[in-house]
Amino acid sequence: MSNLTVAQVMELAPVIPVLVVERVEDALPIAQALVAGGLPALEVTLRTPAALDVIREMAQVEGAVVGAGTVLNPAQLDAAMNAGARFAVSPGLTEPLGKAAIDAGIPFLPGTATAADIMRGMDMGLTHFKFFPAETSGGLPALKALAAPLHTARFCPTGGITPQNAPEWLAQPFIKCVGGSWVVPKGPVDAKTIEALAREAAALPRHGSAR
């Protein structure tokens, strides 16, 4: 288990790949290609029966910081951590899940879409959030409006982020990274393609970085 903070996880790369992996045998080649391309933080969503085994496999890849996404409750959080997850991402924020993540000391990115969501998290001591679903929750104009009064919060927008619109999101000082599924195309695993897409994503400029 790493002692990374959530801020450090978000600083690892401009993009956190959001991974829906159906087959355990795909885990190693996907993780190796992503890490080789410069994307070490990997969010494995708990949407498939293979997800926990995928986390176990990916956690063996040198340089990979594997997290669990679509974490809905404390039981799933425990299972993900036991499988080797080093950070957790959820689509929303509930008090039981938030408390469990804080008690466990795991870097946690809860999903938020409203001021009330973010304020609830801040009341719990959280400072970093997923903005989800980003595009259908009003996109960048909505997040700019939320981030102004809630100026200490930092975000990872996910949902509808593409290579085309990611630079606009990443240019904002309150956005530390974005979540995206485009880096691993659907279908048979093509490691060379994944690595090439990862290199492009890793090269995206962020606020304050050299352009």
Side-chain angles (χ1 to χ4, degrees), residues 31-122:
Q32 288 165 344
L34 289 168
V35 172
L39 299 182
L42 313 176
E43 179 188 335
V44 178
T45 63
L46 301 183
R47 300 183 199 176
T48 71
L52 292 174
D53 288 329
V54 168
I55 290 172
R56 287 188 188 94
E57 288 290 307
M58 289 189 171
Q60 300 174 36
V61 175
E62 186 175 355
V65 177
V66 185
T70 325
V71 177
L72 304 179
N73 53 56
Q76 286 188 337
L77 179 68
D78 284 344
M81 291 176 65
N82 288 334
R86 294 165 66 183
F87 66 95
V89 185
S90 67
L93 175 59
T94 66
E95 193 168 328
L97 179 57
K99 283 186 173 179
I102 291 166
D103 289 346
I106 189 170
F108 179 48
L109 269 180
T112 56
T114 67
D117 291 341
I118 300 162
M119 289 166 65
R120 187 182 312 119
M122 294 173 94

Side-chain angles (χ1 to χ4, degrees), residues 139-178:
L140 185 52
L143 187 52
K144 281 183 177 178
L146 289 168
L150 303 169
H151 58 92
T152 58
R154 296 294 177 263
F155 297 93
C156 173
T158 303
I161 309 299
T162 67
Q164 290 73 39
N165 65 22
E168 188 180 5
W169 289 92
L170 289 166
Q172 309 304 316
F174 49 85
I175 293 175
K176 295 302 175 184
C177 60
V178 298

